[in-house]
Amino acid sequence: MAIGSTTSAALKPVRTRHVDLAAIGARDALLDRLFKGAFATAAWLVLIVLIAVAVSMLWGGRQAFSTFGWSFLISSDWDAVQQKFGALVPIYGTLVTALIAMLIAVPVSFGIALFLTEVAPNWMRGPVAAAIELLAGIPSIIYGMWGLFVFVPFMAAYVIPFLNAHLGNLYILGPLFSGPPLGIGMLTAGIVLAIMVIPFISSVMRDVFLTVPSRLKESAYALGSTTWEVAWDVVLPYTRTAVIGGVFLGLGRALGETMAVTFVLGNAHQLTASLLMPGNSIAATLANEFTEADSELYRSSLIALAFLLFVVTFIVLAIAKWMLMRLAKKQGS
């Protein structure tokens, strides 16, 4: 009886559920279209906001551009009483301080990233990397206060007199390093900016250095290469695209920094070749004078400065993109 029951149960047909493949395919296609549409909307929204910001700043500065024309870009005048404004001094200060910051920050960041990935013992890499990332989270006003109350007196007492004595009399470099020991100035602002952007650049470099396959470095070491040769001939060529991106990310931060530069730059509308003299930048000018703009032309000139900062940043990022495209073309991708 048990055998017969088992046989009949085994011969009983199995019910199968009908699967509507067409409905499933239509549903998946709909979800896929919704997914693409949502992310395309987000991407276009960023572009629309970017264009809207640029157009609004250009519209706000239209009075300054129409009043001064191209002379607004090459004039060093900034006289709110006589209503004469020029953007040359802020543009010059912005570019010079950012250049000083990059000249200091890039090699230091490369050294930090190389140390953390190739030289430092394992127990040290984690804490040092975490400390560097924490530096990136410090508010810029803290850097500015530290620069004004600690770094500026140090520059005035030790660094600037040394530069005046040893470099101020040189034929070419002399005009760059001659001036009174005020402490504040473009060199001080550039150094503070370098300290601020080092955590960003070094973190990017460290992360991309860790992506280099170990077999490449081990093969180079097996052939007798030194640590420097491995870093320069293996690690850096493998990651140069991301390294350049990290450098320009730091440069963008340096160009747009406001509070820290405002504290230590001196905020003087004067054009000078000396890096030890006070100067001004676009961001510092906006932070200091926007609340004091008592006329439409004054306010329009400040908004026009903001538009020029936007243009400078866009040009820098465009150059970075162009360099990355050239590197990709050389690599055959």
Side-chain angles (χ1 to χ4, degrees):
M1 187 64 181
I3 296 176
S5 300
T6 305
T7 304
S8 60
L11 296 176
K12 188 177 181 180
V14 179
R15 292 184 178 181
T16 58
R17 188 178 64 177
H18 176 69
V19 178
D20 192 350
L21 297 179
I24 295 177
R27 184 192 62 186
D28 292 342
L30 176 62
L31 293 176
D32 188 56
R33 287 195 299 270
L34 292 175
F35 177 82
K36 291 181 179 179
F39 282 90
T41 302
W44 280 105
L45 181 62
V46 172
L47 182 60
I48 292 172
V49 170
L50 185 66
I51 295 175
V53 170
V55 171
S56 64
M57 288 188 295
L58 180 60
W59 180 258
R62 69 190 185 281
Q63 184 177 357
F65 289 127
S66 62
T67 302
F68 303 109
W70 288 103
S71 63
F72 183 74
L73 301 177
I74 60 176
S75 174
S76 59
D77 295 332
W78 195 269
D79 192 341
V81 177
Q82 300 183 11
Q83 297 290 292
K84 294 182 179 180
F85 301 101
L88 181 60
V89 174
I91 293 176
Y92 175 76
T94 300
L95 296 178
V96 170
T97 52
L99 179 61
I100 295 173
M102 289 299 102
L103 290 176
I104 299 173
V106 172
V108 173
S109 300
F110 179 77
I112 292 174
L114 180 62
F115 174 78
L116 292 178
T117 55
E118 302 295 333
V119 180
N122 292 329
W123 61 268
M124 184 184 295
R125 296 182 181 183
V128 174
I132 293 174
E133 292 176 356
L134 287 176
L135 287 176
I138 297 178
S140 60
I141 193 171
I142 303 300
Y143 283 105
M145 295 176 64
W146 169 82
L148 180 62
F149 295 112
V150 178
F151 192 62
V152 167
F154 174 79
M155 290 286 292
Y158 301 102
V159 179
I160 295 180
F162 176 83
L163 294 176
N164 277 325
H166 294 83
L167 299 178
N169 297 324
L170 297 180
Y171 178 70
I172 298 178
L173 298 179
L176 297 177
F177 299 101
S178 59
L182 300 176
I184 58 176
M186 289 185 288
L187 179 61
T188 304
I191 296 175
V192 173
L193 278 178
I195 297 174
M196 294 183 63
V197 301
I198 281 175
F200 294 92
I201 302 177
S202 60
S203 296
V204 173
M205 287 187 177
R206 172 181 171 271
D207 292 339
V208 298
F209 285 176
L210 291 175
T211 63
V212 179
S214 300
R215 62 181 180 274
L216 296 180
K217 296 186 289 185
E218 292 172 357
S219 300
Y221 283 122
L223 293 175
S225 299
T226 62
T227 302
W228 170 253
E229 290 173 339
V230 170
W232 189 257
D233 297 328
V234 177
V235 176
L236 195 57
Y238 188 86
T239 60
R240 57 186 174 185
T241 300
V243 167
I244 293 176
V247 170
F248 278 92
L249 175 65
L251 179 57
R253 171 69 190 274
L255 289 172
E257 180 52 43
T258 304
M259 296 309 300
V261 175
T262 304
F263 274 88
V264 300
L265 186 55
N267 307 312
H269 282 282
Q270 58 183 10
L271 190 63
T272 175
S274 176
L275 301 178
L276 308 181
M277 296 295 293
N280 217 334
S281 68
I282 297 177
T285 302
L286 295 175
N288 284 322
E289 303 188 24
F290 202 84
T291 56
E292 301 177 1
D294 54 358
S295 65
E296 290 297 329
L297 184 58
Y298 194 178
R299 190 178 301 109
S300 178
S301 299
L302 292 174
I303 298 176
L305 279 180
F307 175 75
L308 292 178
L309 179 60
F310 180 88
V311 172
V312 170
T313 306
F314 178 80
I315 292 174
V316 168
L317 296 180
I319 294 174
K321 184 64 176 178
W322 175 75
M323 294 179 63
L324 294 177
M325 290 175 62
R326 284 182 59 88
L327 288 175
K329 186 177 180 181
K330 288 182 179 180
Q331 294 173 355
S333 53

